[in-house]
Amino acid sequence: MADQVKLHGNWLSPFSSRVIWALKLKGIPYEYVEENVADKSALLLHYNPVYKKIPVLVHGGKPICESMIILDYIDETWPENPLLPSDPFKRATARFWIKFIEDKSPVLWGVFLADGKDDREKARKVTLEVLQTLEERAFGDEKFFGGDEINMVDLAYGVLVRWMPVIEEVVGVKLLDPDMFPRLHAWAENFRQAAVIRDNLPDHDQMVPLFKIRREQLLQIARK
């Protein structure tokens, strides 16, 4: 079918969740294909031969790769319930903060990959600096970034609402402290409780043991 939509993703991936949330917000029917990132399917490698990664959105047989590019595609292809503001300045501001979290993603995962107490504390401090910037500059007193409705910036920052708490538990650090970051914490709670997000979040308790295993695997590789 010309309009058939498929999403190749993985349930543990925040990048896959971004796309799921966007499709749900738009009311777009789609078929979901769960991919094993350790044993990638021939179809995934066919659709994304460059990066060989999820997520991949396939629309009418044509693949679109990279989560934020997919979100742009979704918003342009299905303009109902827009994910970006129509005002040029607000739109540019939204894109700025999307670029910020894309650039800072390695920092946010730094604590997860830090080996040893000293490295963990250094990574924690760097992460807190990023969160402080968001607290002071990005998120105001509105419910979501764009006001009363979830938009593309909120989807980009969704990693903070489920994956960061999992990292906190696995590593044994506190990052998104409500006393230090009241605005950011309030936003995260609002986002987490929105029906579309709440009903499409991976389970925290199922994630923790898998993230513990993955962290140890990555640390063992880094130690060699």
Side-chain angles (χ1 to χ4, degrees):
M1 295 176 60
D3 292 330
Q4 186 176 28
V5 178
K6 291 186 179 181
L7 173 61
H8 292 254
N10 181 273
W11 73 277
L12 284 171
S13 168
F15 308 107
S16 292
S17 288
R18 285 174 175 174
V19 181
I20 290 171
W21 297 332
L23 291 169
K24 295 288 186 178
L25 286 167
K26 293 277 191 176
I28 301 166
Y30 68 98
E31 177 186 343
Y32 179 75
V33 180
E34 178 72 13
E35 292 282 354
N36 181 351
V37 295
D39 185 19
K40 298 168 184 175
S41 71
L43 202 54
L44 175 63
L45 298 177
H46 169 73
Y47 283 137
N48 191 358
V50 177
Y51 290 114
K52 303 178 175 64
K53 297 189 303 183
I54 51 94
V56 176
L57 185 80
V58 184
H59 181 212
K62 298 178 180 179
I64 304 97
C65 307
E66 297 295 305
S67 63
M68 295 313 302
I69 294 175
I70 293 172
L71 263 59
D72 276 329
Y73 178 86
I74 289 172
D75 207 31
E76 292 175 6
T77 305
W78 294 276
E80 301 82 6
N81 304 319
L83 298 176
L84 283 172
S86 58
D87 177 80
F89 177 77
K90 292 180 179 179
R91 194 180 187 91
T93 301
R95 291 195 179 281
F96 173 88
W97 287 113
I98 290 170
K99 179 68 163 56
F100 182 83
I101 193 60
E102 293 292 275
D103 289 345
K104 297 300 182 181
S105 282
V107 173
L108 298 179
W109 289 97
V111 172
F112 182 69
L113 299 173
D115 193 5
K117 184 177 179 180
D118 290 344
D119 286 346
R120 189 160 57 246
E121 183 58 26
K122 289 178 183 177
R124 177 178 174 273
K125 288 181 178 179
V126 175
T127 301
L128 293 179
E129 289 175 2
V130 173
L131 296 179
Q132 189 64 45
T133 298
L134 295 175
E135 174 74 15
E136 295 177 355
R137 304 291 182 182
F139 292 92
D141 297 321
E142 294 182 305
K143 189 174 182 180
F144 301 112
F145 184 88
D148 292 331
E149 302 294 333
I150 291 173
N151 76 4
M152 197 179 294
V153 183
D154 302 293
L155 301 184
Y157 282 84
V159 65
L160 300 179
V161 307
R162 178 63 88 223
W163 290 264
M164 181 164 283
V166 169
I167 291 172
E168 290 177 329
E169 182 169 341
V170 169
V171 181
V173 299
K174 186 61 181 176
L175 298 169
L176 195 55
D177 190 308
D179 294 327
M180 292 180 65
F181 310 114
R183 288 178 171 178
L184 194 53
H185 186 267
W187 165 82
E189 287 300 310
N190 289 331
F191 185 78
R192 187 184 293 111
Q193 294 304 320
V196 167
I197 308 304
R198 183 184 66 241
D199 295 343
N200 295 281
L201 276 176
D203 183 78
H204 176 99
D205 292 339
Q206 291 180 349
M207 293 172 70
V208 168
L210 297 175
F211 269 63
K212 286 181 178 178
I213 293 170
R214 184 56 177 159
R215 180 172 185 267
E216 189 55 39
Q217 290 173 338
L218 294 172
L219 290 180
Q220 287 179 359
I221 293 171
R223 290 166 186 157
K224 291 180 180 180

